[in-house]
Amino acid sequence: MTVVKAGIGQKEAKVNFKIDEAYLADYNAREGTNYRLLPADCYTMGNSVLTFGDKETQRDVPFIFDTEKIKALQGKYKEQYVLPAVLNLRVACCSRLSQRWESSY
C-alpha cells in the first residue's frame, strides 16, 4: 500500500499505520455490514511506521498475502474479509498537531 504525503509546504512527517479491529467493529455497527478481519496468519505487513523527509512524497507499506490460506477461507465461508487500516499523522512543524485518518482496504 502506498501512502502519499500532500499539501502546502514541504514538512517532515511521521505516519503510524496499523490494522485496527476496533475500527472494523465500529464500521460494521455504523454501516450495518458484517465484514470480518482477515486473519493475521493470512498476511505479513512490513514497516508500520513511515517517516517522510521534507521533500519526500510517498512511502510504501508492503504486504505479503498467503493466497493459499485466503483461498481456503473463501472456500469455507461466505464472509467478506478486510484489513481496516488506521493512519495517524504527526507533522514535524506542529508537534502538538496529531490528525487521524481512517480508511479500510
Side-chain angles (χ1 to χ4, degrees):
M1 168 172 293
T2 299
V3 177
V4 177
K5 179 184 80 168
I8 298 174
Q10 296 179 345
K11 307 288 183 204
E12 293 180 2
K14 181 177 179 181
V15 174
N16 293 309
F17 182 95
K18 73 175 190 168
I19 304 302
D20 190 339
E21 191 170 3
Y23 175 76
L24 177 59
D26 290 343
Y27 181 88
N28 279 336
R30 186 176 61 247
E31 299 297 325
T33 56
N34 193 28
Y35 295 120
R36 294 190 56 178
L37 181 66
L38 184 66
D41 67 343
C42 291
Y43 67 93
T44 302
M45 183 175 74
N47 188 9
S48 62
V49 177
L50 307 174
T51 303
F52 291 87
D54 57 352
K55 296 182 189 216
E56 296 172 310
T57 58
Q58 67 181 31
R59 287 273 187 242
D60 292 327
V61 178
F63 282 88
I64 299 171
F65 292 95
D66 186 329
T67 55
E68 293 304 316
K69 287 184 180 178
I70 293 171
K71 284 179 190 176
L73 279 175
Q74 291 174 333
K76 291 182 183 178
Y77 308 107
K78 301 277 184 200
E79 290 91 359
Q80 293 181 319
Y81 291 89
V82 298
L83 287 176
V86 174
L87 302 175
N88 290 301
L89 168 67
R90 184 162 301 275
V91 179
C93 72
C94 311
S95 61
R96 294 183 184 183
L97 172 66
S98 181
Q99 297 178 334
R100 179 177 168 137
W101 287 276
E102 298 170 341
S103 302
S104 60
Y105 298 92

